[in-house]
Amino acid sequence: MKTQLAHFPLLKTLDQFDFSFQPSVPEKQVRELATMRFVAHGENVLLLGPPGVGKTHLAISLGMSAIAQSLSVYFVSIVELLEQLARDAAEDRLAARLAALCKPKVLILDEMGYFPLDRRAGQFVFQLVSRRYLKGSIILTSNKSYGEWGDIFADPVLAAAILDRLLHQSTTLNIRGQSYRLREKRKAGMFGEPGEAGAAS
Ligand code: ADP
Ligand code: MG
């Protein structure tokens, strides 16, 4: 029941994550996060890195660990959130959306940074992060480093204010390395090894 309410795009567990493929992901730290102790203090987890390195997989796995401990979880991608906000604004329901997103113990915001947020969405995210601050955890994934967050939000001051609250009590995992998505293709010889002449030709 809680798994359905969490609205995961697909189910992924920590046991399905190959830590040996992505050595920049500290297994011990991830397993500690999976105990969900950080949720008791409303702390946040930020997973940063390029596409395909397992950010969404890890975010869902942590969400599933939370559910195993009977914590409420809600997963939403930023693109979805933007679509919801456009509808909500038209129907004058933004306050209800904000209240709903403040309820789950763990809110997963996936893929921050692929799309710019307009002023309304930026202000909404600011309110969301402020209201959940130290009360409800956020697990956020992003392809952008913190220095690039000014580009996501039209307003750099707003971006700084959001980051300030998100990062205050938080753990950041900076994931570097190869895309797991491309691994199979690379194996099949569709890509050369990195740095190899003629790769991906
Ligand atoms: P990201 O969100 O960083 O773009 P995903 O988490 O969506 O990447 O990962 C892409 C795909 O590769 C998913 O199907 C995911 O389950 C898988 N994957 C990524 N990294 C690993 C890994 N280290 N071990 C096993 N599967 C992985
Ligand atoms: Mg992702």
Side-chain angles (χ1 to χ4, degrees), residues 52-190:
V53 293
K55 301 180 299 296
T56 300
H57 184 140
L58 288 171
I60 293 172
S61 301
L62 291 176
M64 289 184 69
S65 299
I67 286 172
Q69 296 188 31
S70 301
L71 296 165
S72 51
V73 178
Y74 187 71
F75 179 107
V76 67
S77 72
I78 295 297
V79 188
E80 247 183 316
L81 182 67
L82 290 176
E83 288 167 3
Q84 288 175 354
L85 294 184
R87 281 199 304 271
D88 292 341
E91 294 164 19
D92 215 9
R93 284 179 36 84
L94 283 169
R97 176 72 59 187
L98 186 62
L101 290 176
C102 286
K103 276 201 185 124
K105 277 284 171 196
V106 178
L107 178 67
I108 303 176
L109 293 176
D110 195 32
E111 304 201 322
M112 178 69 85
Y114 284 111
F115 293 88
L117 273 66
D118 62 16
R119 193 157 187 84
R120 181 180 64 210
Q123 284 171 352
F124 185 90
V125 170
F126 173 76
Q127 284 181 294
L128 181 59
V129 169
S130 302
R131 280 238 224 146
R132 292 187 65 92
Y133 179 60
L134 302 184
K135 291 202 281 267
S137 294
I138 293 175
I139 300 175
L140 182 142
T141 80
S142 180
N143 63 324
K144 294 261 195 302
S145 66
Y146 299 137
E148 299 170 307
W149 273 46
D151 304 341
I152 310 175
F153 299 90
D155 179 351
V157 178
L158 189 64
I162 291 170
L163 270 179
D164 188 59
R165 285 160 181 76
L166 269 180
L167 295 184
H168 179 214
Q169 298 287 344
S170 68
T171 302
T172 296
L173 300 184
N174 268 302
I175 310 177
R176 291 170 303 274
Q178 302 288 321
S179 164
Y180 195 88
R181 286 195 193 97
L182 298 184
R183 181 181 90 143
E184 298 301 317
K185 297 198 170 125
R186 204 171 274 123
K187 266 189 184 162
M190 286 172 66

